Amino acid sequence: MELFKNLYNERFFEFFGNALKQVYPSYTHDDFIRHIYDQDWDKRELKQRMRHITEGLKKQLPENFEDTTQILLECIEQLQNQGLKEHSVEYMFFPDYIECYGLDELEIAVQTMEKITQFTSCEFAVRPFIIKYPMQMMDQMLEWSHHENHKVRRLASEGCRPRLPWAMALGDLKKNPSPILPILENLKNDPSDFVRKSVANNLNDIAKDHPSVVIEIVK
């Protein structure tokens, strides 16, 4: 059985690089590929490869974060124009870029994640922002819970799960989940099963630390 990390292969990078070149002519595919296939590439696991790709993109794109986010969004549109219609986990290096290089650019990062998550989930990328800007971000998550796009509504719940697997824990929300509850209240009857499952997962996380809270909610 093929390892999931091997989704990152020459065919993938050719497809991605062609889309990026269309919207950012300064992109140099040969330099990017040299960065990707370094001596440690074969040793890296999936998330390590994602981060390595993110670092390679940083070398290719403009220094200005706002300019870069516009290029990334245009690249996503180009990928979709080239036939990529479905959400794909391989492209989670887009939100990873925002996580790595946008933490001091809250407004731009939030606007960009709202758009990127409609293509590939920002559930991991949003968490460092919740830790650094807890009040602003939980207000934002509450606002997203009313968004017209179900993938953004899902981000409102999935992104603030206290114990999201394979992601950094949200210590303050583990101690006090009350900021999460209005979000889940808004989403508990969401028309999307995708969103409702996230609400259930979030409640399951909360139950590990505050079972009585979840019992009262369920009642």
Side-chain angles (χ1 to χ4, degrees), residues 69-129:
T69 59
Q70 186 58 40
I71 292 167
L72 294 179
L73 293 174
E74 290 175 4
C75 183
I76 288 172
E77 184 177 353
Q78 184 63 32
L79 287 165
Q80 293 171 323
N81 291 340
Q82 290 179 196
L84 188 66
K85 300 300 182 184
E86 298 297 326
H87 162 95
S88 179
V89 69
E90 301 101 298
Y91 288 93
M92 288 186 76
F93 55 81
F94 282 102
D96 191 57
Y97 194 101
I98 307 305
E99 175 184 344
C100 286
Y101 306 114
L103 201 53
D104 294 326
E105 302 279 359
L106 178 61
E107 183 176 354
I108 298 169
V110 164
Q111 293 170 358
T112 307
M113 284 190 289
E114 181 176 317
K115 295 174 182 177
I116 288 178
T117 205
Q118 298 178 49
F119 173 70
T120 188
S121 179
C122 289
E123 65 197 66
F124 298 113
V126 76
R127 298 171 78 80
F129 291 88

Side-chain angles (χ1 to χ4, degrees), residues 27-186:
Y27 166 74
T28 307
H29 189 66
D30 288 346
D31 289 345
F32 179 67
I33 290 299
R34 274 193 291 271
H35 167 85
I36 294 300
Y37 291 113
D38 64 3
Q39 62 183 4
D40 295 322
W41 175 253
D42 290 337
K43 304 173 188 175
R44 293 186 177 94
E45 298 304 324
L46 179 64
K47 289 194 73 173
Q48 293 172 319
R49 289 187 175 188
M50 285 182 180
R51 179 56 56 87
H52 186 60
I53 294 167
T54 298
E55 293 165 352
L57 281 178
K58 182 72 168 78
K59 295 180 178 181
Q60 290 287 325
L61 297 174
E63 190 65 32
N64 182 275
F65 181 71
E66 185 171 12
D67 292 343
T68 297
T69 59
Q70 186 58 40
I71 292 167
L72 294 179
L73 293 174
E74 290 175 4
C75 183
I76 288 172
E77 184 177 353
Q78 184 63 32
L79 287 165
Q80 293 171 323
N81 291 340
Q82 290 179 196
L84 188 66
K85 300 300 182 184
E86 298 297 326
H87 162 95
S88 179
V89 69
E90 301 101 298
Y91 288 93
M92 288 186 76
F93 55 81
F94 282 102
D96 191 57
Y97 194 101
I98 307 305
E99 175 184 344
C100 286
Y101 306 114
L103 201 53
D104 294 326
E105 302 279 359
L106 178 61
E107 183 176 354
I108 298 169
V110 164
Q111 293 170 358
T112 307
M113 284 190 289
E114 181 176 317
K115 295 174 182 177
I116 288 178
T117 205
Q118 298 178 49
F119 173 70
T120 188
S121 179
C122 289
E123 65 197 66
F124 298 113
V126 76
R127 298 171 78 80
F129 291 88
I130 294 174
I131 291 171
K132 184 170 183 176
Y133 309 100
M135 292 182 62
Q136 298 100 309
M137 283 307 302
M138 292 309 291
D139 285 346
Q140 181 64 58
M141 305 294 265
L142 185 62
E143 182 178 328
W144 278 340
S145 71
H146 295 289
H147 199 278
E148 62 181 4
N149 186 285
H150 73 281
K151 293 180 180 178
V152 180
R153 297 198 304 274
R154 179 183 180 271
L155 177 63
S157 169
E158 197 72 8
C160 65
R161 285 180 57 183
R163 294 172 175 268
L164 181 66
W166 305 314
M168 62 179 68
L170 299 177
D172 287 348
L173 293 178
K174 284 170 66 176
K175 294 175 185 176
N176 176 21
S178 60
I180 304 174
L181 302 183
I183 295 169
L184 303 186
E185 185 67 27
N186 288 344

Side-chain angles (χ1 to χ4, degrees), residues 15-25 27 57 61 71 75:
F15 184 76
F16 165 68
N18 181 58
L20 183 54
K21 185 75 172 178
Q22 292 297 313
V23 301
Y24 185 59
Y27 166 74
L57 281 178
L61 297 174
I71 292 167
C75 183

Side-chain angles (χ1 to χ4, degrees), residues 192-203:
S192 169
D193 183 56
F194 189 52
V195 175
R196 295 196 308 275
K197 285 181 178 179
S198 178
V199 171
N201 287 335
N202 202 320
L203 286 172

